[in-house]
Amino acid sequence: MYQRIFSGLFFIMSLATASAQNEPSTWSLLDSTSRYEIGLNTNFAFDQLMDQNQQVPLELMLRKKIHDQNRLRLRVFGMVSRAKKIEGDFTNIDRIGNFGLAVGYEWIKPLTKRWEGYYGMELEGRKMDRRSIFEQPDTDPEEDYFESQDQYDREIRLSVSPLAGLRFRLSARLLLSTEFRLSAYMGEQQYTERISIRAKEEGSQNQIQSTEGYTLKLNGLRFQPYTGIFLNYRF
């Protein structure tokens, strides 16, 4: 998949470079007329376009120019996933919600007329919720009950990430960019599991039989060599 993506991007870049040879006055990446830049991570188009009914991933990046080679950045991202499977009397429902916000600062280093590198730092907060519900008939033929299992998992993380990336100019307003990050994170994970039974009669309520759970402290390092390809627009 990624090989096809990069092949397509390099083809676009070669066309853009060839078409711009007759207008050398518009090559500069350091545009003095634009203060803002908004970018959309194109991963959703390549990975989830055919599955939008169940997963809606999204990542946006807003940059504001402070000086010609300095930018403030704000990144927001999220995903909602829901899957339901019914086989006879068995039902399984899985839900995932992932939301986050990152603020950062970056320094730009022009490389060529169409390429530039950049590096910086981000502070990111992230919250992820997972819930899985499973119901099955009671195995005792003399009892008319359903057994229900409800698992809930929540993670909250705070991370600091040095980063570096590359950008390529398609036109005066459009740019492609990609970057990598090394994240040092800390946080907490809370897990709860409830097992209950209920009668098959319509309108009957669950009767909780057992509940257990735990809380974990999280910390570590995570290296992201590829965080997606952003399509950026200056304004």
Side-chain angles (χ1 to χ4, degrees), residues 6-62:
F6 283 112
S7 297
L9 290 173
F10 278 114
F11 177 71
I12 294 172
M13 292 174 185
S14 63
L15 289 180
T17 303
S19 64
Q21 290 178 350
N22 294 327
E23 46 172 350
S25 61
T26 63
W27 280 58
S28 176
L29 275 164
L30 299 177
D31 182 6
S32 61
T33 63
S34 302
R35 293 191 60 197
Y36 295 94
E37 184 179 305
I38 189 167
L40 172 66
N41 194 331
T42 60
N43 267 359
F44 80 97
F46 294 109
D47 295 339
Q48 301 293 344
L49 184 61
M50 304 306 294
D51 197 24
Q52 287 292 298
N53 289 330
Q54 295 197 8
Q55 294 195 349
V56 188
L58 184 64
E59 185 173 19
L60 292 172
M61 175 118 48
L62 178 65

Coordinates of all heavy atoms in Angstrom, one line a residue, residues 6-62:
F6 N 3.6 6.3 -2.2 CA 4.8 7.1 -2.5 C 5.1 7.1 -4.0 O 5.6 8.2 -4.5 CB 6.0 6.5 -1.8 CG 6.1 6.8 -0.3 CD1 5.9 5.8 0.6 CD2 6.3 8.1 0.1 CE1 5.9 6.1 2.0 CE2 6.3 8.4 1.5 CZ 6.1 7.4 2.4
S7 N 4.8 6.1 -4.8 CA 5.0 6.2 -6.2 C 4.1 7.2 -6.8 O 4.6 8.0 -7.7 CB 4.7 4.8 -6.8 OG 5.6 3.8 -6.4
G8 N 2.9 7.3 -6.4 CA 2.0 8.3 -6.8 C 2.4 9.7 -6.5 O 2.4 10.7 -7.3
L9 N 2.9 9.9 -5.2 CA 3.4 11.2 -4.8 C 4.6 11.7 -5.6 O 4.7 12.8 -6.0 CB 3.7 11.2 -3.3 CG 2.5 11.0 -2.4 CD1 3.0 10.8 -0.9 CD2 1.7 12.3 -2.5
F10 N 5.6 10.8 -5.8 CA 6.7 11.2 -6.6 C 6.4 11.5 -8.1 O 7.0 12.4 -8.7 CB 7.8 10.1 -6.6 CG 8.6 10.1 -5.3 CD1 8.5 9.0 -4.4 CD2 9.5 11.1 -5.1 CE1 9.3 9.0 -3.3 CE2 10.2 11.1 -3.9 CZ 10.1 10.1 -3.0
F11 N 5.3 10.8 -8.6 CA 4.9 11.2 -9.9 C 4.3 12.6 -10.0 O 4.6 13.4 -10.9 CB 3.8 10.2 -10.4 CG 3.2 10.5 -11.7 CD1 4.0 10.3 -12.9 CD2 1.9 10.9 -11.8 CE1 3.4 10.6 -14.1 CE2 1.4 11.2 -13.1 CZ 2.1 11.0 -14.2
I12 N 3.5 12.9 -8.9 CA 2.9 14.3 -8.8 C 4.0 15.3 -8.7 O 4.0 16.4 -9.3 CB 2.0 14.4 -7.6 CG1 0.7 13.5 -7.9 CG2 1.5 15.8 -7.4 CD1 -0.2 13.4 -6.7
M13 N 5.0 15.0 -7.9 CA 6.1 15.9 -7.7 C 6.9 16.2 -9.0 O 7.3 17.3 -9.3 CB 7.1 15.4 -6.6 CG 6.5 15.3 -5.2 SD 7.6 14.5 -4.0 CE 6.6 14.5 -2.6
S14 N 7.2 15.1 -9.7 CA 7.9 15.3 -11.0 C 7.1 16.1 -12.0 O 7.7 17.0 -12.7 CB 8.2 13.9 -11.6 OG 7.0 13.2 -11.9
L15 N 5.8 16.0 -12.0 CA 5.0 16.8 -12.9 C 5.0 18.3 -12.4 O 5.1 19.2 -13.3 CB 3.5 16.3 -12.9 CG 3.3 15.0 -13.7 CD1 1.8 14.6 -13.6 CD2 3.7 15.0 -15.1
A16 N 4.9 18.5 -11.1 CA 4.9 19.8 -10.6 C 6.2 20.5 -10.9 O 6.2 21.7 -11.2 CB 4.6 19.8 -9.1
T17 N 7.3 19.8 -10.7 CA 8.6 20.4 -11.0 C 8.8 20.8 -12.4 O 9.3 21.8 -12.8 CB 9.7 19.4 -10.6 OG1 9.6 19.0 -9.2 CG2 11.1 20.0 -10.8
A18 N 8.3 19.9 -13.4 CA 8.4 20.2 -14.8 C 7.6 21.4 -15.2 O 8.0 22.2 -16.0 CB 8.0 18.9 -15.6
S19 N 6.4 21.5 -14.6 CA 5.5 22.6 -15.0 C 5.9 23.9 -14.5 O 5.5 24.9 -15.0 CB 4.1 22.3 -14.5 OG 4.0 22.2 -13.1
A20 N 6.8 23.9 -13.4 CA 7.2 25.1 -12.8 C 8.5 25.7 -13.4 O 8.9 26.8 -13.0 CB 7.4 24.9 -11.3
Q21 N 9.1 25.0 -14.4 CA 10.4 25.5 -14.9 C 10.3 26.8 -15.7 O 11.3 27.5 -15.8 CB 11.0 24.4 -15.8 CG 11.5 23.2 -15.0 CD 12.0 22.1 -15.9 OE1 11.9 22.1 -17.1 NE2 12.7 21.1 -15.2
N22 N 9.1 27.1 -16.1 CA 8.9 28.3 -16.9 C 8.5 29.5 -16.0 O 8.2 30.6 -16.5 CB 7.8 28.1 -17.9 CG 8.2 27.2 -19.0 OD1 9.4 27.1 -19.3 ND2 7.3 26.4 -19.5
E23 N 8.4 29.3 -14.6 CA 8.0 30.4 -13.7 C 8.9 30.4 -12.5 O 8.5 30.1 -11.4 CB 6.5 30.2 -13.3 CG 6.1 28.8 -12.9 CD 4.8 28.8 -12.3 OE1 4.2 29.8 -12.1 OE2 4.2 27.7 -12.1
P24 N 10.2 30.6 -12.7 CA 11.2 30.6 -11.6 C 10.9 31.6 -10.5 O 11.3 31.4 -9.4 CB 12.5 30.8 -12.2 CG 12.2 31.5 -13.5 CD 10.9 31.0 -13.9
S25 N 10.2 32.7 -10.8 CA 9.9 33.7 -9.7 C 9.0 33.2 -8.6 O 8.9 33.9 -7.6 CB 9.4 34.9 -10.4 OG 8.1 34.7 -11.0
T26 N 8.3 32.1 -8.8 CA 7.3 31.6 -7.8 C 7.8 30.4 -7.0 O 7.1 29.7 -6.4 CB 6.0 31.3 -8.5 OG1 6.2 30.2 -9.4 CG2 5.4 32.4 -9.3
W27 N 9.1 30.2 -7.0 CA 9.7 28.9 -6.4 C 9.8 29.0 -4.9 O 9.9 28.0 -4.3 CB 11.1 28.6 -7.0 CG 11.0 27.9 -8.3 CD1 10.4 28.4 -9.5 CD2 11.5 26.7 -8.7 NE1 10.5 27.5 -10.5 CE2 11.2 26.5 -10.0 CE3 12.3 25.7 -8.0 CZ2 11.6 25.3 -10.7 CZ3 12.6 24.6 -8.7 CH2 12.3 24.4 -10.0
S28 N 9.9 30.2 -4.3 CA 10.3 30.3 -2.9 C 9.3 29.6 -2.0 O 8.1 29.8 -2.1 CB 10.4 31.8 -2.5 OG 10.7 31.9 -1.1
L29 N 9.8 28.8 -1.0 CA 8.9 28.2 0.0 C 8.5 29.1 1.1 O 7.5 29.0 1.7 CB 9.6 27.0 0.6 CG 9.5 25.6 -0.1 CD1 10.6 24.7 0.4 CD2 8.1 25.0 0.1
L30 N 9.4 30.1 1.3 CA 9.2 31.1 2.4 C 8.3 32.2 1.9 O 8.7 33.3 1.6 CB 10.5 31.6 2.9 CG 11.4 30.5 3.5 CD1 12.8 31.2 3.9 CD2 10.8 29.8 4.7
D31 N 7.0 31.9 1.8 CA 6.0 32.8 1.3 C 5.7 33.9 2.4 O 5.3 33.7 3.5 CB 4.7 32.1 1.0 CG 3.6 32.9 0.4 OD1 3.9 34.1 0.1 OD2 2.5 32.4 0.3
S32 N 5.9 35.2 2.0 CA 5.8 36.3 2.9 C 4.4 36.8 3.0 O 4.0 37.6 3.9 CB 6.7 37.5 2.5 OG 6.4 37.9 1.2
T33 N 3.5 36.4 2.1 CA 2.1 36.9 2.1 C 1.1 36.0 2.9 O 0.0 36.4 3.2 CB 1.6 37.0 0.6 OG1 1.6 35.7 0.1 CG2 2.5 37.9 -0.2
S34 N 1.5 34.8 3.3 CA 0.6 33.9 4.0 C 1.0 33.8 5.4 O 2.2 33.5 5.7 CB 0.6 32.5 3.3 OG 0.2 32.6 2.0
R35 N 0.0 33.9 6.3 CA 0.3 33.7 7.8 C -0.1 32.4 8.3 O 0.5 31.9 9.3 CB -0.4 34.8 8.5 CG 0.1 36.2 8.3 CD -0.5 37.2 9.3 NE -0.1 36.8 10.6 CZ -0.7 37.3 11.7 NH1 -1.8 38.1 11.6 NH2 -0.3 36.9 12.9
Y36 N -1.0 31.7 7.6 CA -1.5 30.4 8.2 C -1.4 29.3 7.1 O -1.3 29.6 5.9 CB -3.0 30.6 8.6 CG -3.2 31.5 9.7 CD1 -3.5 32.9 9.5 CD2 -3.1 31.1 11.0 CE1 -3.7 33.8 10.5 CE2 -3.3 32.0 12.1 CZ -3.6 33.3 11.8 OH -3.8 34.2 12.9
E37 N -1.4 28.1 7.7 CA -1.4 26.9 6.8 C -2.2 25.8 7.5 O -1.9 25.6 8.7 CB 0.1 26.5 6.6 CG 0.3 25.4 5.7 CD 1.8 25.1 5.6 OE1 2.6 26.0 5.3 OE2 2.2 23.9 5.9
I38 N -3.1 25.2 6.8 CA -3.9 24.2 7.3 C -3.6 22.9 6.5 O -3.5 22.9 5.3 CB -5.4 24.5 7.3 CG1 -6.2 23.4 8.1 CG2 -5.9 24.7 5.9 CD1 -7.6 23.8 8.4
G39 N -3.4 21.8 7.3 CA -3.1 20.5 6.6 C -4.0 19.4 7.1 O -4.5 19.3 8.2
L40 N -4.3 18.5 6.1 CA -5.1 17.3 6.4 C -4.3 16.1 6.1 O -3.7 15.9 5.1 CB -6.3 17.3 5.4 CG -7.2 16.1 5.4 CD1 -7.9 15.9 6.7 CD2 -8.2 16.1 4.3
N41 N -4.3 15.2 7.1 CA -3.6 13.9 7.0 C -4.4 13.0 6.0 O -5.5 12.7 6.2 CB -3.4 13.2 8.3 CG -2.4 12.1 8.3 OD1 -2.2 11.5 7.2 ND2 -1.8 11.8 9.4
T42 N -3.7 12.6 4.9 CA -4.4 11.9 3.9 C -4.5 10.4 4.1 O -5.0 9.6 3.3 CB -3.7 12.1 2.5 OG1 -2.3 11.6 2.6 CG2 -3.7 13.5 2.1
N43 N -4.0 9.9 5.3 CA -4.1 8.5 5.6 C -5.5 7.9 5.5 O -5.7 6.8 5.1 CB -3.6 8.2 7.0 CG -2.1 7.9 7.0 OD1 -1.5 7.8 6.0 ND2 -1.5 7.7 8.2
F44 N -6.5 8.7 5.9 CA -7.9 8.2 5.9 C -8.3 7.9 4.5 O -9.1 6.9 4.2 CB -8.8 9.3 6.5 CG -9.2 10.4 5.5 CD1 -10.4 10.3 4.8 CD2 -8.4 11.5 5.4 CE1 -10.7 11.4 3.9 CE2 -8.7 12.5 4.5 CZ -9.9 12.4 3.8
A45 N -7.8 8.6 3.5 CA -8.2 8.4 2.1 C -7.6 7.1 1.6 O -8.3 6.4 0.8 CB -7.7 9.6 1.2
F46 N -6.4 6.7 2.0 CA -5.8 5.5 1.5 C -6.2 4.3 2.3 O -6.3 3.2 1.8 CB -4.2 5.7 1.6 CG -3.7 6.7 0.7 CD1 -3.2 7.9 1.1 CD2 -3.7 6.5 -0.7 CE1 -2.7 8.9 0.3 CE2 -3.3 7.5 -1.6 CZ -2.7 8.6 -1.1
D47 N -6.4 4.5 3.7 CA -6.6 3.3 4.5 C -8.0 3.0 4.8 O -8.4 1.9 5.1 CB -5.8 3.5 5.8 CG -4.3 3.5 5.6 OD1 -3.9 3.0 4.6 OD2 -3.6 4.0 6.5
Q48 N -8.9 4.1 4.9 CA -10.2 3.8 5.4 C -11.4 4.3 4.5 O -12.5 4.4 4.9 CB -10.4 4.6 6.8 CG -9.4 4.1 7.8 CD -9.6 2.7 8.3 OE1 -10.7 2.1 8.0 NE2 -8.7 2.1 8.9
L49 N -11.0 4.7 3.3 CA -12.0 5.3 2.4 C -13.2 4.4 2.2 O -14.4 4.8 2.1 CB -11.4 5.7 1.1 CG -12.3 6.4 0.1 CD1 -12.8 7.8 0.7 CD2 -11.6 6.7 -1.2
M50 N -13.0 3.1 2.1 CA -14.0 2.1 1.8 C -14.7 1.6 3.0 O -15.6 0.8 3.0 CB -13.4 0.9 1.0 CG -12.7 1.3 -0.3 SD -13.8 2.3 -1.4 CE -15.0 1.2 -1.8
D51 N -14.3 2.2 4.2 CA -14.9 1.7 5.5 C -15.4 2.8 6.3 O -15.4 2.7 7.6 CB -13.8 0.8 6.2 CG -14.5 0.0 7.3 OD1 -15.7 -0.4 7.2 OD2 -13.8 -0.4 8.2
Q52 N -15.9 3.9 5.7 CA -16.3 5.1 6.5 C -17.5 4.9 7.4 O -17.7 5.6 8.3 CB -16.5 6.2 5.5 CG -15.3 6.8 4.9 CD -14.4 7.5 6.0 OE1 -14.8 8.5 6.6 NE2 -13.2 7.0 6.2
N53 N -18.3 3.8 7.1 CA -19.5 3.6 7.9 C -19.1 3.2 9.3 O -19.9 3.3 10.3 CB -20.4 2.6 7.3 CG -21.1 3.1 6.1 OD1 -21.4 4.3 6.0 ND2 -21.4 2.3 5.1
Q54 N -17.9 2.6 9.5 CA -17.6 2.1 10.8 C -16.4 2.8 11.4 O -16.3 2.9 12.6 CB -17.2 0.6 10.7 CG -18.4 -0.3 10.3 CD -18.1 -1.7 10.5 OE1 -17.1 -2.1 11.1 NE2 -19.0 -2.6 10.0
Q55 N -15.5 3.4 10.6 CA -14.4 4.1 11.2 C -14.3 5.5 10.5 O -14.4 5.6 9.3 CB -13.1 3.4 11.0 CG -13.0 2.1 11.8 CD -11.7 1.5 11.8 OE1 -10.7 2.0 11.2 NE2 -11.5 0.5 12.7
V56 N -14.1 6.5 11.4 CA -14.0 7.9 10.9 C -12.7 8.5 11.5 O -12.8 9.3 12.4 CB -15.2 8.7 11.3 CG1 -15.2 10.1 10.6 CG2 -16.5 8.0 10.9
P57 N -11.6 8.2 10.9 CA -10.3 8.8 11.4 C -10.1 10.2 10.8 O -10.5 10.4 9.7 CB -9.2 7.8 11.0 CG -9.8 7.2 9.7 CD -11.3 7.2 9.9
L58 N -9.5 11.1 11.6 CA -9.3 12.5 11.1 C -8.2 13.1 11.8 O -8.1 12.9 13.0 CB -10.6 13.3 11.2 CG -10.5 14.7 10.6 CD1 -10.3 14.7 9.1 CD2 -11.8 15.5 11.0
E59 N -7.3 13.8 11.1 CA -6.2 14.5 11.7 C -5.9 15.8 11.0 O -5.7 15.8 9.7 CB -4.9 13.7 11.7 CG -3.8 14.3 12.5 CD -2.5 13.4 12.6 OE1 -2.4 12.4 11.9 OE2 -1.7 13.7 13.5
L60 N -6.0 16.9 11.7 CA -5.8 18.3 11.1 C -4.7 19.0 11.8 O -4.5 18.8 13.0 CB -7.1 19.1 11.2 CG -8.3 18.7 10.4 CD1 -9.5 19.5 10.8 CD2 -8.1 18.8 8.9
M61 N -3.9 19.8 11.0 CA -2.8 20.5 11.5 C -2.9 22.0 11.1 O -3.1 22.3 9.9 CB -1.5 20.0 11.0 CG -0.3 20.8 11.5 SD 0.9 20.0 12.5 CE 1.2 18.4 11.7
L62 N -2.9 22.9 12.0 CA -2.9 24.3 11.7 C -1.6 24.9 12.1 O -1.1 24.8 13.3 CB -4.0 25.0 12.5 CG -4.2 26.5 12.3 CD1 -4.5 26.9 10.8 CD2 -5.2 27.1 13.2

